[in-house]
Amino acid sequence: GVENALPAVPGVADAGVEVAGGSAAITYDPAAAAPETLVDAVRAAGYGALLRGADAPEPAPGASCGCGLVQLS
């Protein structure tokens, strides 16, 4: 399931998935995983997915960690 798919993505440090609430909070290394890769992992697990706050700025160059919120459907 999606609970296992996100932590399996290289660069993901932590993924808190709340299937009932329809969201996943993810901490990841932006040098190793792009937000689109996280969405692809959720979709591959059989869920629809949208990045929340897609208009938010990208992590700063050289940032060691990014945080993202994915809406599950």
Side-chain angles (χ1 to χ4, degrees):
V2 71
E3 299 90 346
N4 297 320
L6 285 167
V9 174
V12 171
D14 185 50
V17 178
E18 188 180 324
V19 175
S23 66
I26 306 143
T27 303
Y28 63 97
D29 177 354
E36 295 80 16
T37 304
L38 305 173
V39 169
D40 289 344
V42 172
R43 289 180 178 157
Y47 290 84
L50 295 171
L51 286 174
R52 284 195 189 163
D55 56 351
E58 289 294 313
S64 61
C65 138
C67 296
L69 190 59
V70 175
Q71 180 175 340
L72 309 176
S73 59

